[in-house]
Amino acid sequence: MPQTIDFLTLYVNKLGICEYADSNTTLFEGLTTKKSIEDIHVDQLFKESKFYAPIVTWLQRDTNEFWEDIIEDVFKSFVVSIQPIKINTIVAAVTIRTSIITRKLDQLKYQYESALENANVGLWVWIDVDKDQSWWSDSFYELLGYEIDEINPGVEAFSKLIHPEQIEDFTAIMKSFYERQANYQNSNQTNLEIKMRTKSGSYKYLLFTAKFAKVNNAIRFSGTVVDIDLLKKIEIELQQRDEQLQLSMEAANMGTWTWKIDSNEVIWSDHLFEIFEVEKNCFGGKFGSFLKIISKEERIFVKETIENTMLQCETHFSFKHSITCPDLSQKILFSKGEIFYKKGKPHRMMGIVLDITKENSLQKLLEQTQERYKIVFESMTEGVLIVDMNETIVDHNIAAAKIVGYEDDMLIGEELTYGDGVAIKEDFSNFPTEDFPGIKTIRTGKGFRNVALGWIKTSKELVWLSINSEPILDQQGMQIGAVCTYIDITERYTAISKLKMKNRQLEDFAHITSHNLRSPISNLSILLDYYETSTSEGDRKEYFENLKHVSTTLLSTIQVLAESLKIQKDFIDDECEISFQEVLNNVLKLLSGQIKEANASFDIDFEGCKSITYSKTYLESIFINLISNAIKYRSKSRQPIIQVRTSYSEQQQPTLTVTDNGVGIDLSKNKEKIFGLYKTFHANKDSRGVGLYMTKRQIETLGGTISVSSQIDVGTTFTVQFK
Amino acid sequence: MKDKARIYIIDDDEIFQFITRKSFERLDRKDELFFFLNGEDALRSIKDSIASGIELPELIFLDINMPIMDGWDFLTELQVLIDSAVNKPNIYMVSSSIDDKDLIKSKKYSMIKDYIVKPIKDVHIKEILTSLEA
């Protein structure tokens, strides 16, 4: 889009009269004072001489040469050119156009001005102080309620609009400005509140900001004007309210006083006399007279509080004190004061006194309630922790610290993950910090219930906790923290795990009776039946042999069952501190035949954990089963090497591992069955079932666990974790 | 069923194997009986049969609790093996277990004809063979 240039061409005759004009814009209306610009002398046409003076001069010179110059206005510059022509009486065509450069500035100006107008801000420029040339923005006119052509902007017009009250002040300011103008450089911005008359005749408060600048040796002021009428009205209203406040102070049982320190004169408000219940004529009106009224015990305290404030040159003080009224009742008063200093010395003191007897008892009640609440909080056996959004513990009760093995108050200000203890899950694996219910509640805003967590205290003692966590919400429903409650369920937890184990053993037992007793008995019944009905002597003999065999098996099964029933904690009577090495030595002696036959070698290391408090019989049995197992399932292609090790687990439990280099077990098929019972108890057959079943029972009865890992044709490792 | 069928007895109880052999003898049949002490041995035999084109057993008596490979694992692997076979074996679960869990589990295998609780005598075997003929 080609840029259009605003222009105004005047066709002027020798006398300087514009006979006719040509223009593509109304923008020049601002330059001229007349609606019609034809048949008017140019000096009547323009508001400012800078526009018509060059034309007049050119006509006077009578050189008939083309002339061009740039004339600067407030925000833009114009290119003025005078072209000599000869058409009838016309001698010159005067063209005033905006320069391309100022056109851009123009746009900027309009952007700003419209923004300012929207904000109810006017602009003004006092272009030349000496010549009293000014420019006011449309918005300024609007603020005053005038049309643009109704007022000629300038100091003269301005002064007329100022409220009579302020004329004097304004003149003084102007005067001081003239006196000091030589010193004005790039002055700071000054603000001035002026009450001005609008067209309607009412007055409006306007706030002027003014900035001084020197442009081409002319002094220029410019600034903004804002309508603050509403604000001012509010301010005045507030002032009035302040007076009302005095009244409400009395309603609030508040009295005021002033102490002129120099003359030691104390002045009380009427209401203060009422508060102190002192007759006006009975009051001495001195500082001492005031102190006398205060009860003896508190007199020194009050005196010192005020004196210290003065000594330290501080300005504000407040204190509570009590007085005894003539009827001997007690009143609690709150005093607040301010000290005014003159030349560094306290000069005057002012303040208020508030009767807070009632409030004080309310305060006491509140404190009591809080105290009672705290007592309940502390007497809870449940641990309660309050955590803020930074996962820091804000408050907790005694139980919360005690349960996890800390002193009272120790956790406040710490992170929820504080401490040297170790958190574990039910399967004894590590409990990740980010899964702590409290932390999860902070991070997700959700509550969690009955989360079981094992905590190994710094003393190595293990406690089981059941944790609940709930988000804390403020009145707007925003989360501001979390509350965690937990109880020590170690006892219950231990009981439950014991019960679980017993239950498992009972299930095993039911399985045994179902399989291991039913099988031989059903065999017996058929064998007997066939024996009776058989006619062949050879068959009968065969049936009888089998009958004998089954009855022997049945007997041994019953014996094993009886044995396994004996594996109960109550039946153990040989628990003592025993050395692993000693027990193993006995076992190796017992198994020496098998070991020799298999040519098995041993790699033994008990340095990790030398001894354990355990049943000697059981430990022997565990060793016998694991070692004979390792020998039985040796690989035919290599010499059996059996590795026996002890150590402590992360949870400080003694751990035993027995590793062989035998054929291995396919655990994908047999993992669950490996410690179970198979139906046959044939002593000479696969006895892994019986042996490992008994071993597992023994270990579990004493609170431990046994697990297995294996790789086919590489070897098998049994890991026993003692309690 | 013809009186010369291929029958597998998979049970780790040697006494049960002895009794079963005797039961068939008492029925005066000429069946081919194959005894296995665990599922793995039996499965290997079936694999061999498929490989050498020998016909599959018509009847299998399968125990549940066995070392190395139990009845359930055997069934799972067999299912894959004989998936495309035309003449699938009739399988009877034979166990001394009166545990409901085992009975319910057996219902999940479509291949199982029936679940029989031990003892199992010649008369029972006769009944089974008759029902198969029908």
Side-chain angles (χ1 to χ4, degrees), chain A residues 624-646:
Chain A
I624 289 172
N625 275 310
L626 293 182
I627 288 166
S628 61
N629 214 52
I631 294 170
K632 194 172 294 158
Y633 296 96
R634 64 184 181 267
S635 167
K636 277 167 193 147
S637 57
R638 53 185 172 261
Q639 187 206 354
I641 301 165
I642 299 159
Q643 204 182 63
V644 187
R645 293 269 185 283
T646 55

Side-chain angles (χ1 to χ4, degrees), chain A residues 515 519 523 529-530 533 679, chain B residues 12-13 23 26 63 65 121:
Chain A
H515 290 81
S519 280
N523 284 345
D529 181 37
Y530 286 4
T533 53
K679 66 178 166 195
Chain B
D12 66 331
D13 183 355
S23 300
R26 286 159 72 97
D63 184 23
N65 292 285
K121 288 165 67 168

Side-chain angles (χ1 to χ4, degrees), chain A residues 507 511 514-515 518-519 522-523 525-527 529-530 533-534 539 542-543 546 549-550 669-670 673 678-680 682 685-686, chain B residues 11-13 15-16 18-19 22-23 26 40 63 65-70 73 77 96-98 102 117-122:
Chain A
E507 265 176 35
H511 185 86
S514 161
H515 290 81
R518 271 191 60 86
S519 280
S522 64
N523 284 345
S525 73
I526 298 176
L527 285 171
D529 181 37
Y530 286 4
T533 53
S534 177
D539 279 356
E542 212 175 348
Y543 291 140
N546 276 298
H549 184 76
V550 174
K669 284 178 186 164
N670 298 298
K673 293 168 219 155
Y678 296 118
K679 66 178 166 195
T680 42
H682 294 225
K685 270 194 73 186
D686 181 353
Chain B
D11 199 311
D12 66 331
D13 183 355
I15 304 293
F16 176 79
F18 166 75
I19 292 167
K22 286 291 173 195
S23 300
R26 286 159 72 97
E40 200 175 80
D63 184 23
N65 292 285
M66 290 177 288
I68 303 166
M69 182 191 275
D70 73 5
D73 288 340
E77 300 217 4
S96 53
S97 168
I98 46 167
D102 287 330
V117 180
K118 288 175 187 173
I120 161 167
K121 288 165 67 168
D122 48 0

